[in-house]
Amino acid sequence: MYQVLFKRMPGNEDLAIPKRMTEGSAGFDLQAAVDEPVTLEPGERKLIPTGFAMAMPNELEAQIRPRSGLAYKHGITCLNSPGTIDADYRGEVKVLLVNLGDKPFTIERGERIAQMLFGLVPKVTIEETDTLPETVRGAGGFGHTGV
Ligand SMILES: O=c1ccn([C@H]2C[C@H](O)[C@@H](COP(=O)(O)OP(=O)(O)OP(=O)(O)O)O2)c(=O)[nH]1
Ligand SMILES: [Mg+2]
């Protein structure tokens, strides 16, 4: 079990702590902390505040992912999906939404706009070399096995 600290930015006492909507949900839903409704025109992107900052152990990262309902019904998704929240980031968590639909979409305060999942960050060191171990695949990629 990992402990993640959640800190409200001032003026967001009305918003919920990121929440799993069902016991088995992987993602914690994030609410929009906009003061006024914000409209995204088709093709437009905007950084939407969530009203909180957090701290987590360095073994963790958080991913900001789209909600499929918003994507399916309105074409609203996260442009940089999945967004990465570094363990050492202490600023406000924000969601970069883009409207890929064909109609304007308005985000109201408190609306659940994205979800946050936690992942483990493996300890890795990168070492330079002139030769890499051979494999059957070799340099094949980008569909070289067919479609
Ligand atoms: O959807 C996102 C993506 C990032 N961030 C914040 C937290 C993250 O730790 C920081 C940096 O994100 P990232 O590494 O993706 O962006 P960068 O362009 O590499 O910026 P930096 O140079 O600050 O790392 O921005 C968010 O709030 N939401
Ligand atoms: Mg970065």
Side-chain angles (χ1 to χ4, degrees), residues 35-117:
D35 294 331
E36 304 290 333
V38 169
T39 298
L40 288 173
E41 298 296 329
E44 197 178 16
R45 63 179 185 267
K46 278 185 181 157
L47 206 47
I48 308 296
T50 61
F52 73 92
M54 53 185 201
M56 59 191 140
N58 283 350
E59 300 100 287
L60 294 188
E61 58 139 354
Q63 299 180 4
I64 308 297
R65 300 193 198 166
R67 293 188 64 212
S68 64
L70 285 179
Y72 178 55
K73 291 178 195 156
H74 305 288
I76 298 294
T77 189
C78 299
L79 182 58
N80 57 328
S81 186
T84 303
I85 310 297
D86 300 288
D88 58 357
Y89 178 68
R90 297 291 177 270
E92 182 171 11
V93 172
K94 295 188 177 171
V95 179
L96 183 53
L97 289 182
V98 62
N99 183 355
L100 300 182
D102 52 12
K103 294 191 184 70
F105 182 77
T106 300
I107 298 152
E108 311 279 345
R109 182 173 181 82
E111 190 165 351
R112 288 176 293 131
I113 49 168
Q115 55 188 321
M116 178 168 69
L117 283 89

